[in-house]
Structure formats: C-alpha cells, structure tokens
C-alpha cells in the first residue's frame, strides 16, 4: 500500500496520507502537481494537549485527540461504544479519480467505508457508509463528512432566505467556534444554502481562494464551519437525525448523502464553473433544448375553466411558447387550497371531458403539456384521508401535526400509502399525454413520523423512490422540483428531476439575486426563470417587460402571466424576448457563467461565455440608484483575451431603459474590441433607470 494518495482533476489536487493508523488530509486545493509519496508534515506538539502532534484526520475522532465535533457519534445500549477508534484496514485506489478507504474498530463492532471521487473538472465528492458489525443495535447520532479549508481561509459565505427570498448571501469572518446551520424542515428548506464556502479575506465573484461544499440531501441536515484552537477551519456536512431516528440493527448499514466540494483560486465563479461542468457531464443531465414554458399559476390561480385556458394556449402559441403547464386546481374539489390534495383524479365538475380537450388543443398548437402535482401531501379534507386517516405522517401519541397551508404530509414510509400515490400518478401519466410534472411540496414537516417514530430520513428516501419509479415507468416525463418556490433545491433531488423552481417570487429585482446565487451551484438550464406580471403579485413592484425578460433569459425561460391581457406592443416585445432566448439558449445552457466584480453595488454585469470563447451574452442591469453620475467604465470578464469581439446591444429595442438619451456612442452603433481590451479597459455603460437592464451580445469576428 502506498503511503499517500494523490488525486488530481481540473485545477485541483486532493492528497491523503494513509501511512498512519487513520487517513490524514494533506491538501485539498490548487493542483500542486505530482509530489510522489507525500506525507503530512508533522507539526509541533502543543502545550497542554495530547502527547501527539495534531494531524487533520479525514474522519476526525475524539479517540485521536480531536476536541472539535466528532465526525461519527453514536452508541450501543447504555452508552457502550460511545467513542470509537476506527483505524484504516484497507485502501483501494481504483484510478486517479476514485479511491476507497475502509476503517474498522473491532472492539466497537463498527466499520466504515469512505468513497472519494475527484472528477476531471475538479469536483471532489465524499460519502461514508457505516456498518454495524456488532451484536446489538447501534444508535447513530451523526455521521459527517469533513474537509479542511486550506491556507488563508478567513471568511465564510453561505446563503439564507425565506419564502419568496431564497438564496441570499451572508458573510462573516472565521473566528474560533462553530458556524452551524441546521435545517429541520423535513424538506431542504427556504433558508437552505446551496453552498457553504470558506475563502481568503475579501474573496469575490472573480478573485480569491474559495473552498465550497454542498450536501446532496433533501431531508434534515446540518452544515458547519468549525475552527478550533487546533488548526484551520473545517467544513462539515451531515444528515440530522431526530432522537431514535437511526438505529442500525446488527448487520445494518447507513450511507451518508454525497458531499460535493469545489475549490477555486478565482473566486465564486471558479467554484460555480466546477459545479456546472460536473453537473453537465451527468448522463441524466437534460440534453434536449429547454422549451419556453407558460405556467398558468399567476394567470388564473384556482379559476380553471376550459375556455379561458384555451385562450391562454392560443396566446401562448402566438408568443412562441413550447410547453404549457397547468398548475394547481385541476383535481377533485380543488377550488382553493383547503381541499383535495391526495385524491389525484381530474375533477369532472370543472373538466367534464377530463383534461383531454385542453391537452389535445395544446398539442395541436405545437406545445407539449405539463401538469402540477403535490404527491407527498394531503388535505385532511380529501377522500383519501377520510378513508385512511392513519396515513398522515406525524409524531404518534394520538396526535397529528399542526396544519400548514391546510395540509399534511402523507406517510410514504407506509407501503400501502406509497403504492396508492404511485398508482394514482402512474394512472395519470398513462391516461394523459403529459411531458412534464411540476412536482410541488408545500410544507415544512418538523414532526415527520411513521408508526410513532421519527421518519424524515426514510420519508425522504421514499419520496426519491416515488420519483425514480415514476421516471422508470415514464422515462420521457420531465420533473420540476418545486417546494413553495425554492425550498427543495439540492443535488440529490436533482438526480431525479430536470429543473428546480427557484422561488415563488417572480419580481425580477428579487429574482436577480435569487437566481444568481441558486446558480452558484446549478447551471442556468436547471433553474426555472419566468417573466412574471407587470405588477409583481408578491411584492407589488412594477417592472418594465424588458427588465423582467432579461432577468428570465439566464435560466430555463418561461412566462407566468395572464398573457391574454397583453396589448400589441407587449406582444411584440415579449415575442422578441422569446426569440432571443431561443436564439441564445444553446449558449446560455452550455457556456461559462461569469459575474463582473463591480465596485458599485447599484449595478451588475453578468453573462455567459461560450467555452471556446467564440460568443457571449451579457446583461448589464441597474439595480438601484447610484451615488455616481454614470456607471463609468465596466470590464467584461471571461472573454478570450486575443479574440476580437463585435459588441452589440440586442434588447430592448422596442422600449427604452435609458435614464438619458445621450448614451455612449457604442450603444446604438456597436463596437469591436479585443477580449483583453474589454476586460481591462472596459466600455462606458449607459445610465439606466433603476431596475432596468440591457442585453449585450458579443461575437468573435
Ligand atoms: C406553490 C408553488 C406555486 C404554485 C402553488 C400552487 O406555492 O410554489 O408555484 O404551484 O404552489 O398551489
């Protein structure tokens, strides 16, 4: 066995010293080349500490003198085996990108398998499997993956939010102590951060070292950045279990979700590039064009009638829509949000001939058809719960959880309930020509339970299995992960779904931030982005059509607006936006996302550059008033320095976003300059009214 393992991929190296009794992380960060058999340098022994030098274990254990949070916590009856001493028993290096380490503690009756993969893009992935080799039950309290950040790590960035304001950044310095985020929602959560990043002081979109992780799990989770007096900060990720939730019977095992980890020497954009490239390389990544969507929710809400929806479909076709999605309100008794969830049969009071008349008209107009469902939920006022009141997931003790949006969660750990939901959805997909499900999940569940025991872990796996089995039975059906907007955005649900709904807020100003940060991990094609109504339904702000369309352009574009009310000018401008999306979606959904580091936070310049540098699309946006008179010179990041680009404003052309007419000369005429010039000298940007934007196209000539 070699004394060390070196994995290299993209611009990243991951080096482990496996010469001692437990694996030690020598390095996770920039590629340091081939270092041969590299061992961890032994540091000094601290005063008043174990008589051993400190070594950063891959699996920090109290038994090695680690006085921070142990990666593994659990016990047998009476607290026996509370502090295991797992030592390496086997190391298998499959190839440069994969290795497995087995550790065991025979006295404690435990063994652990660690899988590590480093992709050609630099995406590091780690997960653990714990086996109970003993003769009594082992109560598992936590099993975390941990990774140390490298030299200079000084600041933490993660994201937080609430309904209609997901994925907003928050930053702070690393101090001694633990920055702990716990998500106890029974789903991923509106406040969940797609990334937990630690970086060098002042790291930005384009500069500084950043070590970032994501835990691929939709259940209860904890992420932490911990700095002890022992050394550098370590990032931890683990599922969070309720008391008594995870007990391993003799011979039983538990596998953690994957932790995804991306290192960048060039700020957040470098982290995102690794995530995007890795996700795009998955065999199940959506490969067909992302169709223009029209979703009916903000157009009609629960007011379903065939005539109105046919008018909407007619308008949708005129605008160039390719997928028509019928939202909530189509099933039995569902006239508002108090009733009907769980019955999943078409309401013949509203749809006397079923969904067929709408679906066939949608097809005749050249669009495919999508349908809203919320399979994990029930209303107490539904036939299914009248028949099976015991199918409500909850704490037991003759009590069910408080309602949330008048609804409860169906206990999918119960095989009868699971089969019932599967059969209903299977029938729906068999009887109707449906290309797409908007799969919603609209409540937190802090007391998820099956047969009186906590069941978030099992329920999460059961929901995944429902998606997996339906996809297996109907492989052509795409699924969107929606959860009152963006409360289920994670890489595990995305293993079985094709996009996420980032937020119920369609206000373009709010969306600008929500989408930017959702896309710090997810590439644009996985994020649903819709043009909402002129007056936002959730904030009452009013925005120009061009601003709304430009913000929606950098994602999987759609419309969520009663387009029957549009005048001719709005039809012309929205049709133009749809055409621009269609013309540029291949670029947006394959290129590199870039975000200029602007000093003035009142504006932004974000874009996508083709991997070969041959073209790019940027949005320059004014987000608020500025203390400066004009935006001044702004540099375009990410272009090929040596190429010459033709630069043109392509949208809006039918309405004006400009605060004063005397814009820079290049705006009406276009300009040609090299990538180096555009990056280092930049172009003078026009003064835009606040909350307005322009779309800029660059083509190498
Ligand atoms: C959730 C979704 C919305 C819409 C409604 C329907 O709130 O996030 O987009 O589908 O449910 O009830």
């Amino acid at each position: 066995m070699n004394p060390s393992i070196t994995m290299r991929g993209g611009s990243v190296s991951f080096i482990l010293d496996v010469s001692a009794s437990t694996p030690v992380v020598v390095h996770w960060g920039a590629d340091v080349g081939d270092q041969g058999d590299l061992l961890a340098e032994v540091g000094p022994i601290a005063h008043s500490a174990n008589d051993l030098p400190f070594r950063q274990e891959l699996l920090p254990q109290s038994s090695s003198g680690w006085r921070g949070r142990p990666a593994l916590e659990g016990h047998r009856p009476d607290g026996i085996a509370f502090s295991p001493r797992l030592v390496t028993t086997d190391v298998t290096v499959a190839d440069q990108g994969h290795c497995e380490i087995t550790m065991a503690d025979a006295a404690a009756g435990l063994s652990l398998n660690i899988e590590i993969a480093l992709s050609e893009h630099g995406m590091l992935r780690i997960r653990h499997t714990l086996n109970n080799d003993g003769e009594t039950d082992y109560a598992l309290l936590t099993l975390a993956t941990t990774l140390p950040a490298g030299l200079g790590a000084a600041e933490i960035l993660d994201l937080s939010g609430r309904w209609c304001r997901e994925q907003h950044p928050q930053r702070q310095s690393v101090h001694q102590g633990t920055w702990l985020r716990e998500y106890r929602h029974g789903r991923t959560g509106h406040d969940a951060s797609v990334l937990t990043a630690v970086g060098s002081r002042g790291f930005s979109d384009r500069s500084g070292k950043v070590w970032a992780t994501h835990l691929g799990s939709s259940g209860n989770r904890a992420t932490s950045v911990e700095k002890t007096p022992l050394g550098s900060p370590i990032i931890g990720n683990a599922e969070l279990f309720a008391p008594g939730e995870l007990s391993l019977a003799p011979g039983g095992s538990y596998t953690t979700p994957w932790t995804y980890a991306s290192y960048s020497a060039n700020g957040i954009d470098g982290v995102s590039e690794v995530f995007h490239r890795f996700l795009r390389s998955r065999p199940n990544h959506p490969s067909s064009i992302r169709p223009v969507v029209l979703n009916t929710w903000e157009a009609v809400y629960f007011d379903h009638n065939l005539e109105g929806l046919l008018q909407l479909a007619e308008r949708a076709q005129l605008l160039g829509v390719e997928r028509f999605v019928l939202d909530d309100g189509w099933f039995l008794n569902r006239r508002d949000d108090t009733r009907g969830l769980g019955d999943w049969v078409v309401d013949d009071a509203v749809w006397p001939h079923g969904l067929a008349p709408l679906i066939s008209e949608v097809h005749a107009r050249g669009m495919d058809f999508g349908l809203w469902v919320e399979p994990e939920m029930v209303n107490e006022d539904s036939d299914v719960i009248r028949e099976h009141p015991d199918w409500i997931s909850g704490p037991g003790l003759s009590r069910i959880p408080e309602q949330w949006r008048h609804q409860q969660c169906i206990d999918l750990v119960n095989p009868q309930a699971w089969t019932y939901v599967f059969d209903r959805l299977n029938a729906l997909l068999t009887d109707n020509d449906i290309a797409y499900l908007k799969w919603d999940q609209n409540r937190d569940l802090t007391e998820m339970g099956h047969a009186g025991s906590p069941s978030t872990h099992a329920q999460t796996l059961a929901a995944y299995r429902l998606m997996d089995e339906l996809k297996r039975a109907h492989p052509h059906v795409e699924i969107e992960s929606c959860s009152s907007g963006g409360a289920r955005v994670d890489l595990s649900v995305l293993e079985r779904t094709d996009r996420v709904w980032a937020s119920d807020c369609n206000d373009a100003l709010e969306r600008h931030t929500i989408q930017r940060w959702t896309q710090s991990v997810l590439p644009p094609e996985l994020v649903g982005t819709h043009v909402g109504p002129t007056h936002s339904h959730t904030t009452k702000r009013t925005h120009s059509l061009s601003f709304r369309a430009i913000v929606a352009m950098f994602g999987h574009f759609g419309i969520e607006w009663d387009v029957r009310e549009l005048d001719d000018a709005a039809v012309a401008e929205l049709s133009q936006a749809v055409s621009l999306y269609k013309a540029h979606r291949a670029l947006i959904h394959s290129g590199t996302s870039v975000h200029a580091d602007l000093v003035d936070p009142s504006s932004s310049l974000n874009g996508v550059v083709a991997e070969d540098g041959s073209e790019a699309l940027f949005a320059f946006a004014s987000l608020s008033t500025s203390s400066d008179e004009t935006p001044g010179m702004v540099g375009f990041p990410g272009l090929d320095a040596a190429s010459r680009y033709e630069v043109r404003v392509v949208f809006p052309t039918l309405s004006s976003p400009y605060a004063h007419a005397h814009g820079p000369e290049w705006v009406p005429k276009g300009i040609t300059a090299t990538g180096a010039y555009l990056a280092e000298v930049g172009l003078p940007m026009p003064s835009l009214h606040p909350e307005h934007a322009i779309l800029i196209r660059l083509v190498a000539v």
Side-chain angles (χ1 to χ4, degrees), residues 297 302 327-328 372 405 438 440 442 482 484-485 501 504:
W297 181 238
F302 290 104
D327 212 284
D328 194 357
W372 182 95
R405 206 191 186 210
K438 176 177 176 181
D440 216 334
N442 276 321
C482 173
S484 341
W501 184 229
D504 275 353

Side-chain angles (χ1 to χ4, degrees), residues 249-565:
S253 66
Y254 162 76
T255 300
T256 66
W258 283 105
T259 292
Y260 298 78
S262 162
Y263 167 77
S264 156
N266 304 305
I268 298 288
D269 275 357
V271 164
S272 307
E273 190 173 334
V274 171
F275 272 105
H276 293 186
R277 287 192 171 174
F278 170 78
L279 291 169
R280 284 172 173 163
S281 72
R282 299 170 307 158
N284 59 342
H285 193 73
S287 53
S288 56
I289 55 135
R290 302 292 76 210
V292 177
V293 170
L294 182 128
N295 178 291
T296 61
W297 181 238
E298 293 201 4
V300 302
Y301 291 103
F302 290 104
D303 184 15
H304 285 198
N305 71 75
L306 183 59
E307 198 187 333
L309 289 164
L310 291 178
Q311 287 164 2
L312 212 49
E314 186 186 348
R315 257 303 160 92
Q317 180 191 22
L318 176 77
L319 290 165
V321 169
E322 297 161 313
R323 171 170 291 164
F324 186 94
V325 180
L326 182 65
D327 212 284
D328 194 357
W330 56 268
F331 47 94
L332 194 60
N333 292 326
R334 188 68 168 177
R335 302 285 69 78
D336 56 34
D337 64 8
T338 62
R339 290 187 294 162
L341 284 178
D343 288 343
W344 309 124
V345 287
V346 179
D347 191 345
D348 53 19
V350 179
W351 300 91
H353 306 288
L355 298 174
L358 178 63
I359 296 181
S360 52
E361 180 71 6
V362 163
H363 287 160
R365 293 189 177 280
M367 299 176 277
D368 67 30
F369 182 79
L371 191 66
W372 182 95
V373 288
E374 195 178 356
E376 297 145 84
M377 294 294 152
V378 285
N379 287 119
E380 289 175 38
D381 188 352
S382 62
D383 288 351
V384 62
I385 290 307
R386 271 183 285 277
E387 210 172 312
H388 303 282
D390 57 318
W391 284 5
I392 292 178
S393 172
L397 306 174
S398 311
R399 190 164 64 72
I400 58 171
E402 295 296 332
Q403 293 195 9
W404 172 307
R405 206 191 186 210
H406 316 287
Q407 65 194 57
Q408 298 284 5
C409 183
I410 191 165
D411 177 12
L412 292 176
V413 185
N414 175 334
Q416 283 88 39
W418 188 96
T419 304
Y420 162 82
V421 179
F422 176 84
D423 288 348
R424 282 291 162 102
L425 292 179
N426 188 35
L428 207 57
L429 294 174
T430 306
D431 298 346
N432 298 285
D433 190 351
I434 293 172
Y436 176 85
L437 289 179
K438 176 177 176 181
W439 185 303
D440 216 334
Q441 198 288 38
N442 276 321
R443 71 161 293 172
D444 275 11
L445 215 97
T446 50
E447 293 189 298
M448 191 102 78
H450 167 73
S453 299
S455 66
T456 301
H457 171 73
Q459 174 88 9
T460 306
L461 297 185
Y464 290 163
R465 199 154 39 85
L466 200 53
M467 295 178 191
D468 292 343
E469 292 302 324
L470 283 165
K471 275 235 168 180
R472 219 186 309 281
H474 305 275
H476 65 282
V477 174
E478 292 192 2
I479 300 180
E480 171 178 56
S481 170
C482 173
S483 187
S484 341
R488 188 150 65 189
V489 175
D490 63 76
L491 294 188
S492 189
V493 82
L494 271 165
E495 282 174 30
R496 58 260 311 159
T497 55
D498 302 278
R499 71 172 219 173
V500 300
W501 184 229
S503 181
D504 275 353
C505 183
N506 283 317
D507 172 323
L509 183 64
E510 301 292 329
R511 274 282 183 153
H512 187 272
T513 303
I514 294 167
Q515 290 167 199
R516 184 267 170 273
W517 287 103
T518 303
Q519 292 179 5
S520 64
V521 166
L522 273 52
E525 62 273 23
L526 295 182
V527 182
T529 54
H530 293 177
V531 177
T534 311
H535 308 292
S536 161
H537 290 189
T538 53
T539 65
K540 298 293 173 207
R541 280 201 195 99
T542 301
H543 284 130
S544 65
L545 176 49
S546 61
F547 183 58
R548 280 140 58 216
I550 289 173
V551 171
M553 192 72 63
F554 291 85
H556 179 179
F557 183 93
I559 301 167
E560 191 155 337
W561 179 17
D562 189 351
V563 286
R564 293 170 300 186
E565 71 190 26

Side-chain angles (χ1 to χ4, degrees), residues 115-136:
E115 293 165 82
I116 307 170
L118 180 62
S119 78
E120 56 183 333
H121 325 90
M123 174 61 70
L124 181 66
R125 289 182 302 141
I126 302 192
R127 71 174 179 185
H128 301 324
T129 298
L130 180 72
N131 307 302
N132 180 5
D133 306 325
E135 283 164 10
T136 55

